[in-house]
Amino acid sequence: MARYNVVLMGKTGVGKSSLGNYLFGNNKFKTGTGKPVTSNGFHSVEFDLQGLPVTVFDSWGIEADKADQWLRELGKELEKRSTASDPENWFHSVFYCIQ
């Protein structure tokens, strides 16, 4: 069965991990209060959601002084998931969280 991929992104402290826990079940993502909790990169959590294999990628927070580094990490992920790759590898949904 095909896998459904979701990415959570946004500024540090806007609730990306909390939204992931709300939508997909508590304790899948580590949460904090307004300060960085998720380390650099895109961190995947795989699980089954009502019979559908799902991977959620929780990204580290976008910060003004680290925007270049964040964009490089995003570029690496998008390269892996380009339209030249198997559609099962694509990001099928992106949740951009704002405060």
Side-chain angles (χ1 to χ4, degrees):
M1 175 179 276
R3 178 164 293 282
Y4 180 70
N5 300 317
V6 177
V7 65
L8 303 172
M9 58 176 61
K11 286 178 145 182
T12 298
V14 297
K16 297 176 298 295
S17 300
S18 295
L19 176 66
N21 284 333
Y22 176 77
L23 293 174
F24 304 112
N26 286 331
N27 302 317
K28 287 193 177 15
F29 307 98
K30 186 176 177 184
T31 60
T33 308
K35 56 185 173 183
V37 174
T38 306
S39 60
N40 293 11
F42 289 74
H43 307 280
S44 62
V45 176
E46 295 183 1
F47 55 94
D48 185 80
L49 183 64
Q50 298 181 3
L52 175 67
V54 173
T55 303
V56 176
F57 295 84
D58 191 14
S59 71
W60 60 301
I62 302 168
E63 297 183 33
D65 62 335
K66 296 179 183 171
D68 290 339
Q69 184 182 359
W70 197 94
L71 286 171
R72 279 192 300 277
E73 293 288 335
L74 176 61
K76 289 178 198 173
E77 284 300 319
L78 292 176
E79 250 180 61
K80 289 185 225 174
R81 298 165 201 305
S82 75
T83 55
S85 70
D86 185 326
E88 188 171 319
N89 295 325
W90 299 353
F91 286 144
H92 302 110
S93 293
V94 175
F95 293 104
Y96 185 82
C97 302
I98 57 174
Q99 197 162 8

